[in-house]
Amino acid sequence: MSSYRIAVVGAGYVGLVSACGFAELGHEVVCVEKDEDKLAMLKEGVSPIYEPGLEELLKEKLACGSLRFTHDLGESAAWAQVIFICVGTPPREDGSADLSQVEEVARRIAGVIDEYKLIVEKSTVPVKTAQWIKRTIELYGGKGKSYDVASNPEFLREGNALNDFFNPDRIVIGVESDRAEKILRDIYAKIDAPILVTDINTAEIIKHASNSFLAMKISFINMVADLCEAVGADVKRVAKGMGLDRRIGEAFLGAGIGYGGSCFPKDLKAFIKIAEEHHVDFSLLKEVQKINELRIERFLKKIKDVMWVLKDKEIAIWGLSFKPDTDDIREAPSLRLIPLLLSEGVSLRLYDPKAINNFKRVFPETDRVRYFTDPYSAVEGAHALVILTEWEEFKRADLARVKELLLTPLIFDGRNIFEPEEVQKFGLEYYPVGRGRSCVE
Ligand code: UGA
């Protein structure tokens, strides 16, 4: 197997996981990060994000010398044979992706190309970005130099990122030359997964279309959940029944309070926008967004319907991160529900296994927003428990203890983590999402 000198630009989720992953696959890796605080942590082997197994791998690769960190993009790009662009592409006001960081990296690379280099975009970008990278390189000194641009979208999920990196469902490679294809195939040679080789525009669309489709599945099942609630059916069983059809599949048919995170909301916006720019009306995805936005209000209405007056009540919340196994709170449902509860006059008792520090930066501790270091203290004396993230720890909760600690025995479950009959056995009133009228009587 050939080993390559790889520069990964940007130590965010995708960049850091890929950098550690490439080092583990036997390549020599430098990871470029411009945030000095983050860089200092990384050099010490401390991961700025919580991701199962990541810090251990980071420490191991630093120690054996196959991975290093620097702020020096020019030196790294000059040294590397392959450069992966993994910088952020946040949404702009109008929903389109802000590609200024990608452009900046392309400009800097343009100036250091001497012998052949492969420049690969791994950040999630709108279709045609590679063409712009190429044009930027040409404009800023790369004209006549030997290089290729390629697209190699990343499909990792937060909380499961390393596993997704080493065991992906597929590797997508968008290339314009056999040389670029060969290098990318070599880089991933140790990974046992189907490789799909396409042109670059197609690879870019695969990424946006995949995330949009998954978000669409979630909004679809959430509407089915509403119907289930109205007629007394069980959305979990509906999802099971649908999912057994191999053309549909059970994954991402988990009803609840909707999707969040740094990817789906942003990628949907960007996909709708890029379609619009090419005169394609993707209003289907606008509906997907609308359904997702309304989940929070619907959930709040359910709480109010059951609790009547919310003013001066205490509510415990389990789960602040947008999903389990991560400390990431970007676009988390908790960020939207909590201000609504506060404006109703509720006092909150918050617990999350990993995300409390991040959350405190947005909602500092006050007498109405209190944080607890274990789930049971959060529940003590509360009028209700609200579950917003399906952490394993919550699934295994001692419900008898929860019943004893709650002032009034109400559980609102935005993630459907329990079976209604199980919870009701403990004398708790249980309000999941889309699981029949029997549960809300
Ligand atoms: C998502 C994709 O799953 C990855 O393939 C992709 O690489 C990544 O975005 C990205 O573009 O970087 P991620 O945002 O980490 O990954 O999280 P997911 O596991 O996809 O969950 C997204 C949201 O959907 C979460 O809020 C989750 O709670 C919600 N969800 C997921 C549901 O509400 N129901 C489900 O059945 C599944």
Side-chain angles (χ1 to χ4, degrees), residues 13-14 124 153-160 164 170 207 210-211 214-215 217-219 221-222 250-267 292 321-324 326 328 330-333 388-390 414-415:
Y13 249 101
V14 172
T124 302
E154 185 52 65
F155 299 101
L156 56 84
R157 288 162 297 173
E158 290 184 22
N160 202 39
D164 285 341
R170 78 296 207 190
K207 170 68 194 205
S210 301
N211 273 4
L214 292 171
K217 274 187 104 174
I218 298 170
S219 280
I221 201 67
N222 280 333
E250 215 178 319
F252 281 72
L253 287 180
I257 41 167
Y259 60 80
S262 66
C263 303
F264 285 179
K266 163 176 90 80
D267 291 353
N292 198 56
S321 57
F322 84 95
K323 63 179 230 178
T326 176
D328 196 341
R330 286 176 288 177
E331 304 269 345
L388 296 183
T389 317
E390 66 277 32
R415 296 296 183 182

Side-chain angles (χ1 to χ4, degrees), residues 26 138 154 161 165 167 174 201 213 305 382 389 408 435:
E138 296 282 301
E154 185 52 65
F165 183 90
N167 307 291
N201 283 348
F213 189 82
D305 285 351
T389 317
T408 48
R435 307 209 63 191

Side-chain angles (χ1 to χ4, degrees), residues 204-215 271 282 285:
E204 289 169 335
I205 288 190
I206 287 173
K207 170 68 194 205
H208 264 158
S210 301
N211 273 4
S212 300
F213 189 82
L214 292 171
F271 203 34
F282 220 146
L285 294 182

